[in-house]
Amino acid sequence: MKQKNKIRIYVANKLICGQEFTLSEDKSHYLCNVMRLPAGAFISCFNSQDGEFDSQIVNINKKQTIVLPVAQIRQPAQEPDVWLLFAPLKKDRMDFLIEKAVELGVSKLVPVITEYSITDKIRLERLQAQVIEASEQCERLSVPEVCPAVGLNAVIKEWDDSRCLFFMDERGAGASIKQAFAQNQSDSIAIIIGPEGGFASAEADMLYSKKYVIPVSLGPRILRAETAAVASVAVWQAICGDWNQIKGDRK
């Protein structure tokens, strides 16, 4: 039976039973110096293409760790295709948004620069490290894609209109969130959240003009941007996503 507290490591390498591979230096440092695992210890290695494997550490030091997958414990599985577009926030609030979005199953994170955005600076490598860590902790198989920051107009210009975009309108316009999601169920959707000051009137008008944009009300109270993001994805998961699935037993 799989150990509940076994360390999980995301691995970009192809995972094949009986075929050794070498972990990156940062992961080797983590396993050797932080977790102090010895050779012979077991960890779980995973990615979305190959699933998850019980894997044994063959050789370990702070710069290089060789790992051997010995048994597949989870098959690759289809996950929700839900994107979250959000205006960059201050560090702590951004950290919260990223972590919770990963836990909630978001497949792509897109920082969007708007007129009232408080910053346009994004440390992409830091965000990528955060999504990997959150994916390892929450037992999902995939790691969300993190995009570079992009302006709102550029996002809309390149948008594939087959993917509906739920516009969380902080002004309270649009259908109720339950009604909007229930009436527009799709396997591929996106949610857009504005900055702390909301969208400028011209930005909101531009979003309303697009046929693929579905305005949504978030109720009678003003929510912080990170609260609106987490709440929106959670409601979508409850109505349309994989919260309707039973987790089931694992090996």
Side-chain angles (χ1 to χ4, degrees), residues 190-219:
I191 292 169
I192 186 167
I193 305 290
E196 293 178 4
F199 287 100
S201 295
E203 293 172 334
D205 291 344
M206 183 264 290
L207 289 169
Y208 269 89
S209 72
K210 305 301 179 182
K211 292 182 179 180
Y212 55 81
V213 172
I214 301 169
V216 179
S217 169
L218 286 174

Side-chain angles (χ1 to χ4, degrees), residues 4-96:
K4 291 185 177 180
N5 295 324
K6 186 179 295 179
I7 294 169
R8 300 181 78 238
I9 298 292
Y10 168 71
V11 176
N13 306 64
K14 180 73 175 173
L15 293 171
I16 301 173
C17 281
Q19 184 169 309
E20 295 179 353
F21 63 91
T22 302
L23 290 177
S24 62
E25 184 173 339
D26 61 326
K27 293 186 185 297
S28 295
H29 167 77
Y30 170 71
L31 293 177
C32 181
N33 292 356
V34 179
M35 301 309 298
R36 298 186 180 279
L37 294 184
F42 279 83
I43 60 174
S44 290
C45 296
F46 71 94
N47 61 43
S48 59
Q49 293 76 36
D50 305 311
E52 187 164 357
F53 289 74
D54 261 338
S55 304
Q56 188 171 29
I57 296 174
V58 176
N59 186 37
I60 184 168
N61 60 59
K62 64 182 180 181
K63 290 187 177 293
Q64 180 175 288
T65 297
I66 299 173
V67 177
L68 176 69
V70 296
Q72 187 179 50
I73 55 177
R74 291 173 67 189
Q75 295 280 348
Q78 185 175 2
E79 297 184 356
D81 182 16
V82 53
W83 300 359
L84 178 62
L85 286 66
F86 61 96
L89 302 170
K90 294 177 181 177
K91 180 180 179 298
D92 290 346
R93 299 192 184 281
M94 177 91 91
D95 290 349
F96 175 86

